[in-house]
Amino acid sequence: MLEQAKRAARAALEAWRRTASARHMRHSAPHVTRAGLAADLARLGIAPGDTLFVHSSLKSLGYVEGGALAVIRALQDAVGPQGTLLLPTYYLPGGTLRATCAMPDYVFDPRRHGTHMGRLPEAFLASDAIHRSIHPTHSVSAWGRHAAGLTEAHHRAPSIFGMDSPWQRFIGCEHAKVLGLGISMGPVTFYHALEDAMGDAFPVPVWENDTTLLACLDHAGRRWDVPVRPFDPAVAQHRIDHPGRGDLRDYFHREFDAAGLRVNGQVGDAASWVIPAQTFYDHLHRLAADNVTIYASAAQLAARRIGRA
């Protein structure tokens, strides 16, 4: 009973916070429209038929008339009926992957569990014609031409981001691009696709030793036990998305610009970028060969010149 009351209080506080934030944005931030966002995306290089993996900060776009759903519609307008959108709709009730693995009675159920990834993924998950992968921590949702193929059987993949996961299938799609809307090079889960693909050959031992079987239900209510291996928290403290790793985020920003792989532009009020998925992945592999990863130390960054061929 107490835990239910706490959850209700947290939900009420979050609803109040969002209402207050929306009121402030409406009066102080630049106003943008669905049509304006679609035009900005086209100028950034997003084209009909593209398959986009979208990482986003909704508030960075300014005050969007129509809210998060208008952003989703603008993305759909940009890729067209032959295009595909993927968004992270992860559900981590423990707050972290490691803490979620430690929950004794946790069972993921896509019919009742939403996402902790923010307002844009929430709106995407609630919109029409969405396919959601079955995974107890890193469920991905998709819309469009390749949506079903990208999300199917995620729960049967041997690791979260590895073979037969949505990430590996996404890399193989024609015109696949990673889109960052109003974010830095930090909060990008696409990086982990290389870690899972390389396994023990990856330069940094990023995982804990033990694998946990987490339960989940599929859309028909059938139960599956899915192998999940948490990240080593000591290693994660040095990762590119950690608040203290501005040096690493800046290095990746400048490196991908120097390599000519990243296209930068403005979408709404947000500084945004896009990188073709296959070249993104290939360049990460080349960087790893030089001991530069999303966990690299300051000394490792200093040892490799930005833009080295």
Side-chain angles (χ1 to χ4, degrees):
M1 182 70 73
L2 179 61
E3 187 57 36
Q4 288 179 340
K6 287 181 178 178
R7 283 198 296 268
R10 285 195 294 267
L13 180 61
E14 177 64 13
W16 176 87
R17 187 193 65 78
R18 288 188 175 184
T19 300
S21 176
R23 188 183 305 114
H24 175 74
M25 291 282 287
R26 183 167 62 250
H27 293 297
S28 63
H31 282 225
V32 295
T33 65
R34 168 180 171 177
L37 291 172
D40 289 345
L41 289 164
R43 281 189 288 270
L44 189 61
I46 306 306
D50 281 353
T51 295
L52 301 183
F53 204 121
V54 183
H55 291 79
S56 61
S57 167
L58 178 62
K59 66 180 180 182
S60 71
L61 296 171
Y63 179 74
V64 181
E65 296 177 9
L69 186 58
V71 181
I72 299 301
R73 298 300 186 224
L75 288 162
Q76 292 170 334
D77 293 342
V79 301
Q82 293 302 306
T84 308
L85 302 176
L86 294 96
L87 270 73
T89 50
Y90 315 151
Y91 185 73
L92 292 160
T96 66
L97 181 58
R98 188 168 185 257
T100 301
C101 285
M103 295 174 66
D105 300 316
Y106 170 55
V107 180
F108 173 72
D109 185 347
R111 298 166 300 181
R112 64 186 184 91
H113 287 146
T115 176
H116 295 117
M117 295 304 293
R119 295 175 62 189
L120 196 66
E122 286 176 1
F124 186 67
L125 190 56
S127 60
D128 300 329
I130 299 299
H131 294 256
R132 189 180 193 184
S133 75
I134 303 301
H135 195 277
T137 59
H138 283 72
S139 171
V140 172
S141 294
W143 167 93
R145 180 183 178 189
H146 300 300
L150 288 168
T151 55
E152 69 177 351
H154 190 185
H155 54 289
R156 298 181 186 177
S159 64
I160 297 173
F161 308 100
M163 184 68 68
D164 291 329
S165 73
W167 288 267
Q168 300 297 334
R169 291 172 175 171
F170 163 70
I171 293 167
C173 282
E174 190 176 16
H175 307 304
K177 300 172 181 176
V178 180
L179 173 63
L181 286 179
I183 64 164
S184 71
M185 292 291 286
V188 181
T189 49
F190 182 79
Y191 296 129
H192 300 310
L194 180 66
E195 298 167 4
D196 275 18
M198 292 185 68
D200 291 339
F202 190 71
V204 182
V206 299
W207 304 282
E208 293 189 340
N209 291 326
D210 295 332
T211 297
T212 301
L213 289 178
L214 284 185
C216 63
L217 304 180
D218 62 21
H219 296 290
R222 293 170 297 207
R223 179 180 171 122
W224 300 83
D225 290 324
V226 179
V228 178
R229 193 177 181 187
F231 292 107
D232 183 333
V235 176
Q237 288 296 311
H238 304 285
R239 199 167 58 198
I240 193 169
D241 58 338
H242 190 274
R245 293 310 313 271
D247 62 327
L248 193 47
R249 292 188 290 276
D250 179 66
Y251 184 98
F252 270 62
H253 176 129
R254 292 186 292 124
E255 170 63 28
F256 278 85
D257 282 353
L261 301 180
R262 194 173 87 147
V263 176
N264 302 293
Q266 200 80 2
V267 178
D269 199 40
S272 301
W273 52 267
V274 64
I275 304 173
Q278 186 65 63
T279 54
F280 197 166
Y281 182 86
D282 292 344
H283 200 66
L284 289 172
H285 205 291
R286 284 192 289 272
L287 290 173
D290 289 336
N291 287 315
V292 171
T293 68
I294 61 169
Y295 309 89
S297 67
Q300 288 171 321
L301 297 181
R304 184 188 180 279
R305 185 182 72 252
I306 292 283
R308 190 171 87 184

